[in-house]
């Protein structure tokens, strides 16, 4: 049976049209865009076109605001390190507890180096408190960095409003939008967002290409210095094939953005409803009223995520978990913990992330498989007995150490 | 996805002896819901013979936790209680044809459940001082808590000392920053390491990036030198290593002293292999001398 891929927040398949557009740039169009001869000029023209397509998807005012990087992580690091280098007198960074490690690990490192990091907490739906945020905005803050959409739950953050609030206080605002771009309509010129990170492989472009949007007149310091590429803001020979591929992917995303919010959303809702109707002691994580259209984060109580993934994989279904055991650390996902999801549910959380390539038949097959898998694992669980959790599970099973 | 052995997959997909056991007379509950691993082991022991006539488990945990539990019940059934207590976590891992280093704690949990269940059968109280941190050194499977405890107990100051005492950081060296973080957490600062009296034989200054092919003699000398450099680390743990045979890409060594039969034997061999691959600049396989018979 054809495998079912529902892990599109991890990475997506390259669209065939993207691959087709890229291939000539490995063969006859191999030139360096910086060269004066015709080999280079053709590539230069292709890069300009691609830049225009990224600009269009983001609703950026200028194509010179698009800086190509190698990935979302590079874009995130560039944005934050630029802000603190350009404003050495400002030594505070505001972010959230549920960011991607690309932001959190960097901030933890900067904290060791003496910077003050404020991580906004979230409530059990994954929402931040805007009053707390407002109280932290002052002239010591170098940059605010808030994800547009959370990768594990799909919960959206009010980044446009938060950017306005930062702007009023003269504070730079960055958003890690790798999960949002291509899934939500974005019009940067109508916002006060100064910098935005995107990653190609999350929207059917290849891995190894990212973008940092830098609004005109934003004070900027490059991460990589060297040649004059990207107007000196990101040195290094352009990854021309991937940039061209990203351009095509952005074009396709523009065409399909309505579909993401209708067809894909419907599939996701069908999947969630179908599973919850059949599996007891399961619930959806995150802000169900304000989230990405493609993401379903479902907690299955009293079982552990890796077991679920292994059994799903055996059925040819690819999903992911926020579970500790898939990463080699023992604690469950920092996102689940931040939302106060109990350990018995956090460890059993599975993320299904869909794309426009998924079908209703696939969704129905997943709905048919999941209840059996959960029942099979619950039969092994010391917290489960028959068709329900043991009464008072936390008391009934109290292991020797905790 | 983890690279699980066929045995692990089999015991996960078709767990043996799962579910509650009626008339169990020894039960051990170990693990922690916080860490995502919890195991209940139930034994039916014949009081006259002390033979474990049946063993069942219930596990909340990942694939290898379930497989380790299943393997444990298979191993101990039919053994006497005393025989069963001799089962080490390495025995459980071996029964499953090995576990990834990040997953060795699953076999440790199995071993602890066994101790707890036997204590319960004997009417004793079992207490555990087990604490586990995040895995720092993947080559030798050493976690942060073990490094921290060793640093405190011995007043260690430098990364080199940590490697000498715990083996952590003695392989690929990617975890050196994490080890330094532990040192800073314990000591409040990082002490610079003593300047080395002489260059280690592994780092030849000015060596050309394109290495000339070694003669057989040079190659074996290099293997010996590399093992020699690792030896003090093993001797600290009252173990040792000797080179037995070099057969093309296969390097057979004998682990002696405390290394022999140590629960970390496979991790130790992995670490040695890593060093040899680096020193020789080619892929080689380090095997215990026992494996020679099969080849």
């Amino acid at each position: 049976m054809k495998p079912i891929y529902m892990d599109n927040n991890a990475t997506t398949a390259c669209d065939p049209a993207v691959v087709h557009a890229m291939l000539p740039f490995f063969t006859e169009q191999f030139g360096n865009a910086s060269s004066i001869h015709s080999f280079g000029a053709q590539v230069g023209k292709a890069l300009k076109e691609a830049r225009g397509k990224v600009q269009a998807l983001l609703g950026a005012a200028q194509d010179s605001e698009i800086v190509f990087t190698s990935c979302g992580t590079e874009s995130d690091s560039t944005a934050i390190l630029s802000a603190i280098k350009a404003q050495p007198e400002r030594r505070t960074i505001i972010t959230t507890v549920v960011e991607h490690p690309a932001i959190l690990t960097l901030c933890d490192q900067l904290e060791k180096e003496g910077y003050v990091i404020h991580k906004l907490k979230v409530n059990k739906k994954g929402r931040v408190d805007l009053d707390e945020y407002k109280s932290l905005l002052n002239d010591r803050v170098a940059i605010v960095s808030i994800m547009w959409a959370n990768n594990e739950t799909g919960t959206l953050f009010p980044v446009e409003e938060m950017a306005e609030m930062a702007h009023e206080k003269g504070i730079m605002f960055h958003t890690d939008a790798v999960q949002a771009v291509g899934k939500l309509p974005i019009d940067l010129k109508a916002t006060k967002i100064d910098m935005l990170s995107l990653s190609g492989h999350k929207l059917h472009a290849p891995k190894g290409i990212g973008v940092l949007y830098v609004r005109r007149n934003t004070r900027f310091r490059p991460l990589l210095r060297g040649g004059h590429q990207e107007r000196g803001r990101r040195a290094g020979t352009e990854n021309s094939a991937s940039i061209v591929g990203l351009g095509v992917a952005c074009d396709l995303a523009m065409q399909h953005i309505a579909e993401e919010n209708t067809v894909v959303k419907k599939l996701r809702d069908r999947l969630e409803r179908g599973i919850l109707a059949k599996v007891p002691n399961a619930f959806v994580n995150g802000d169900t009223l304000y989230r990405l259209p493609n993401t379903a984060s479902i907690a299955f109580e009293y079982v552990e995520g890796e077991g679920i993934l292994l059994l799903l994989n055996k059925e040819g279904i690819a999903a992911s978990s926020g579970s500790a055991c898939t990463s080699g650390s023992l604690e469950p996902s920092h996102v689940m913990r931040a939302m106060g999801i109990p350990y018995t549910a956090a460890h059993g959380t599975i993320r299904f992330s869909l794309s426009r390539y998924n079908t209703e038949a696939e969704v129905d097959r997943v709905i048919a498989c999941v209840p059996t898998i959960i029942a099979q694992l619950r039969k092994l669980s010391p917290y489960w007995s028959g068709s329900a959790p043991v009464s008072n599970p936390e008391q009934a099973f109290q292991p020797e150490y905790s | 996805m983890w690279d699980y052995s066929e045995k692990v997959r089999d015991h996960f997909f078709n767990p043996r002896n799962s579910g509650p056991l009626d008339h169990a007379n020894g039960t051990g509950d170990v693990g922690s819901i916080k860490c995502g691993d919890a195991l209940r082991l139930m034994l039916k022991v014949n009081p006259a013979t002390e033979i474990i006539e049946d063993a069942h488990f219930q596990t909340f945990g990942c694939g290898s936790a379930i497989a380790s539990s299943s393997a444990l019940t298979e191993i101990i059934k039919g053994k006497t209680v005393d025989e069963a207590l001799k089962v080490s976590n390495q025995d459980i891992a071996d029964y499953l044809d090995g576990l990834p280093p990040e997953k060795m704690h699953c076999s440790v949990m199995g071993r602890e459940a066994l101790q707890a269940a036997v204590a319960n059968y004997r009417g004793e109280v079992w207490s555990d001082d087990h604490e586990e941190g995040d895995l720092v050194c993947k080559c030798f499977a050493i976690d942060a808590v073990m490094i921290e405890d060793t640093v405190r107990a011995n007043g260690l100051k430098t990364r080199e000392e940590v490697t000498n005492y715990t083996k952590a950081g003695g392989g690929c060296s990617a975890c050196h920053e994490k080890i330094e973080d532990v040192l800073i957490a314990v000591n409040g600062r990082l002490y610079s390491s003593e300047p080395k009296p002489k260059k280690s034989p592994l780092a030849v200054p000015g060596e050309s990036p394109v290495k000339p092919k070694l003669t057989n003699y040079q190659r074996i000398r290099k293997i010996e030198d590399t093992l020699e450099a690792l030896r003090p680390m093993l001797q600290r743990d009252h173990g040792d290593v000797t080179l037995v045979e070099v057969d093309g890409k296969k390097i057979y060594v004998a682990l002696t002293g405390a290394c022999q039969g140590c629960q970390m034997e496979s991790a130790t061999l992995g670490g040695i292999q890593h060093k040899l691959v680096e020193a020789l600049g080619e892929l080689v396989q380090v095997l215990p001398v026992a494996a020679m018979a099969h080849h």
Side-chain angles (χ1 to χ4, degrees):
Chain A
M1 212 179 302
K2 198 170 156 267
I4 298 175
Y5 187 75
M6 291 198 181
D7 199 9
N8 288 279
N9 287 12
T11 194
T12 61
C14 263
D15 191 289
V18 169
V19 178
H20 179 76
M22 288 173 70
L23 288 176
F25 292 86
F26 293 103
T27 51
E28 67 264 28
Q29 303 247 45
F30 62 85
N32 186 328
S34 304
S35 306
I36 199 80
H37 47 64
S38 60
F39 292 92
Q42 285 174 6
V43 175
K45 192 166 157 276
L47 297 191
K48 190 173 162 49
E49 260 172 48
R51 202 181 298 277
K53 289 172 180 167
V54 178
Q55 178 199 355
L57 180 65
L58 295 180
Q62 317 288 338
D63 73 347
S64 58
E65 292 173 330
I66 306 302
V67 179
F68 290 113
T69 66
S70 67
C71 59
T73 299
E74 186 194 324
S75 300
D76 286 344
S77 270
T78 305
I80 290 184
L81 295 172
S82 165
I84 58 177
K85 268 191 192 159
Q87 312 165 94
E89 69 290 356
R90 293 173 179 246
R91 298 186 59 85
T92 298
I93 296 168
I94 299 176
T95 184
T96 75
V97 289
V98 295
E99 295 298 310
H100 189 272
I103 296 289
L104 286 183
T105 312
L106 174 65
C107 285
D108 289 347
Q109 180 59 32
L110 291 172
E111 195 165 33
K112 283 190 210 161
E113 293 171 18
Y115 289 88
V116 178
I117 312 292
H118 285 301
K119 293 180 192 160
L120 297 172
K121 290 186 197 60
V122 296
N123 67 12
K124 61 182 199 294
K125 292 278 178 201
R127 296 195 195 108
V128 289
D129 177 355
L130 289 185
D131 290 331
E132 184 198 1
Y133 172 59
K134 196 173 182 182
S135 73
L136 292 170
L137 296 173
N138 59 50
D139 60 10
R140 293 186 299 279
V141 180
I143 188 166
V144 177
S145 179
I146 312 281
M147 58 181 11
W148 200 312
N150 183 268
N151 48 315
E152 290 188 28
T153 62
T155 299
L156 300 175
F157 291 89
V159 287
E160 285 150 303
E161 189 182 347
M162 294 174 88
E164 296 272 355
M165 291 163 74
H167 183 77
E168 276 168 30
K169 300 273 184 176
I171 301 166
M172 229 180 250
F173 190 93
H174 165 255
T175 179
D176 175 349
V178 299
Q179 296 293 348
V181 175
K183 295 173 195 153
L184 301 173
I186 290 177
D187 189 23
L188 286 175
K189 60 184 172 301
T191 73
K192 299 292 183 203
I193 294 167
D194 297 300
M195 291 189 273
L196 172 145
S197 302
L198 83 79
S199 169
H201 75 99
K202 307 284 192 196
L203 60 146
H204 306 289
K207 291 141 191 75
I209 184 71
V211 165
L212 180 65
Y213 159 85
V214 185
R215 180 180 294 274
R216 183 170 283 187
N217 293 327
T218 302
R219 296 184 68 197
F220 185 80
R221 298 289 181 271
L223 182 68
L224 298 183
R225 290 176 192 272
H228 58 90
Q229 294 88 353
E230 302 303 293
R231 297 168 191 260
R233 290 169 301 176
R234 202 282 189 181
T237 301
E238 298 88 348
N239 181 355
S240 42
S242 295
I243 290 172
V244 168
L246 177 60
V248 174
C250 286
D251 233 7
L252 291 169
M254 283 279 268
Q255 290 166 30
H256 290 99
I257 204 116
E259 188 183 336
E260 291 282 340
N261 291 280
T262 51
V263 181
V264 177
K265 182 169 183 289
K266 227 164 157 182
L267 290 177
R268 189 272 316 269
D269 292 344
R270 183 187 179 90
L271 177 73
E272 257 177 20
R273 271 200 312 274
I275 289 175
L276 294 187
K278 287 188 178 176
V279 181
N281 295 86
F283 57 86
V284 173
N285 293 307
D287 189 343
T288 49
L289 297 175
Y290 191 50
R291 60 176 167 155
L292 290 175
N294 78 320
T295 309
S297 168
I298 305 179
F300 298 101
E301 290 186 282
Y302 311 113
V303 286
E304 207 273 342
E306 189 195 294
I308 305 172
L309 292 183
L310 291 169
L311 291 170
L312 281 172
N313 188 52
K314 205 179 165 204
E315 300 291 332
I317 299 165
S320 73
S321 79
S323 140
C325 260
T326 50
S327 64
S329 102
L330 298 174
E331 290 273 324
S333 131
H334 68 287
V335 178
M336 297 302 139
R337 291 308 300 148
M339 296 193 300
I341 308 293
Y343 285 113
T344 42
H347 282 294
T349 290
I350 298 296
R351 177 187 70 190
F352 299 95
S353 45
L354 283 66
S355 78
R356 57 180 187 263
Y357 300 93
N358 287 118
T359 64
E360 194 170 291
E362 289 181 333
V363 167
D364 289 346
R365 214 178 98 205
V366 176
I367 295 172
C369 284
V370 167
T372 324
I373 288 173
I374 302 302
Q376 186 180 339
L377 289 170
R378 280 181 176 164
K379 251 172 72 186
L380 301 177
S381 170
Y383 295 99
W384 196 263
S385 168
S387 58
V390 294
S391 47
N392 257 336
E394 308 269 353
Q395 276 78 48
F397 184 71
Q398 282 189 302
E400 284 287 330
Y401 64 87
S402 61
Chain B
M1 197 60 79
W2 298 106
D3 186 16
Y4 284 138
S5 71
E6 278 306 313
K7 271 272 190 64
V8 174
R9 285 165 197 271
D10 179 37
H11 276 264
F12 169 70
F13 288 125
N14 311 294
R16 328 290 200 265
N17 314 307
S18 64
L21 176 63
D22 291 336
H23 311 297
N25 55 0
T27 299
D29 291 352
V30 296
S32 146
I33 187 66
K34 182 166 171 273
C35 298
D37 280 321
L39 160 59
R40 169 174 290 166
L41 178 69
M42 293 149 280
L43 305 178
K44 200 193 293 180
V45 183
N46 183 331
T49 59
E50 290 258 298
I51 285 175
I52 299 170
E53 293 180 339
D54 206 354
H56 273 217
F57 76 92
Q58 286 178 290
T59 294
F60 172 98
C62 61
S64 60
I66 288 169
S68 295
S69 309
S70 167
L72 170 67
T73 56
E74 287 287 278
I75 294 170
I76 60 174
K77 271 206 292 187
K79 284 191 158 64
T80 66
V81 171
D82 282 332
E83 284 165 357
L85 281 176
K86 290 190 189 127
V87 174
S88 69
N89 76 304
Q90 187 67 41
D91 292 333
I92 300 171
D94 288 348
Y95 184 88
L96 292 167
D97 294 335
L99 288 169
E102 289 87 346
K103 299 288 190 177
M104 281 304 283
H105 65 221
C106 295
S107 62
V108 173
M109 188 171 73
R111 153 100 189 135
E112 287 171 346
L114 178 60
Q115 290 172 318
V118 168
N120 176 262
Y121 162 72
R122 288 177 172 164
E124 296 163 0
V125 178
W126 179 79
S127 72
D128 169 62
D129 56 358
H130 178 96
E131 203 188 341
E132 196 175 5
D134 284 346
L135 189 66
V136 170
C137 170
K138 290 195 180 184
C139 296
F140 291 105
I142 313 288
D143 69 63
V145 171
M146 180 171 174
I147 295 174
E148 198 178 316
D149 289 348
T150 313
V151 168
R152 277 185 211 287
N154 301 288
L156 305 186
K157 297 267 191 289
T158 66
R159 201 276 307 156
E160 286 80 357
E161 287 175 330
V162 171
T163 302
N164 288 339
Y165 274 75
T166 66
K167 296 207 287 269
C172 74
S173 82
C175 63
H176 285 187
E177 186 182 358
K178 285 187 184 160
I179 295 174
E180 288 179 5
D181 287 345
V182 175
L183 284 165
I184 293 168
V186 175
N187 296 332
R189 54 168 284 208
L190 191 64
Y191 295 83
S192 59
S193 41
E194 298 292 311
K196 281 186 191 153
K198 66 177 172 80
K199 283 279 177 194
S200 105
L202 301 183
V204 182
E207 197 173 25
S208 84
V210 182
K211 285 183 188 167
K213 202 176 176 315
L214 300 175
T215 65
N216 268 340
Y217 173 73
Q218 286 171 324
R219 189 162 171 268
I220 288 171
R221 272 300 298 272
K222 197 144 208 168
I223 294 169
E224 281 182 337
D225 286 349
T226 309
L227 291 179
E228 197 60 42
L230 285 167
R231 189 163 283 149
M233 211 162 72
L234 299 171
Q235 286 167 345
R236 291 235 187 216
D237 289 346
H238 308 289
D240 210 343
V241 62
T242 46
L243 179 63
V244 178
E245 172 68 303
V246 180
D247 179 11
K249 298 279 182 198
K250 292 196 170 77
I251 298 171
Y252 295 96
V253 298
L255 290 177
T256 51
C259 285
Q260 195 177 17
C262 161
Q263 50 165 304
M264 297 313 300
E265 183 176 319
S266 61
T268 305
L269 288 174
I272 293 171
Q273 175 167 311
H274 204 103
K275 277 285 187 201
L276 284 171
V277 168
E278 267 177 13
L280 298 172
E282 58 174 316
L283 283 176
V284 293
Q285 198 182 2
V286 173
L287 295 161
V289 65
M292 265 175 80
H294 306 307
H295 292 274

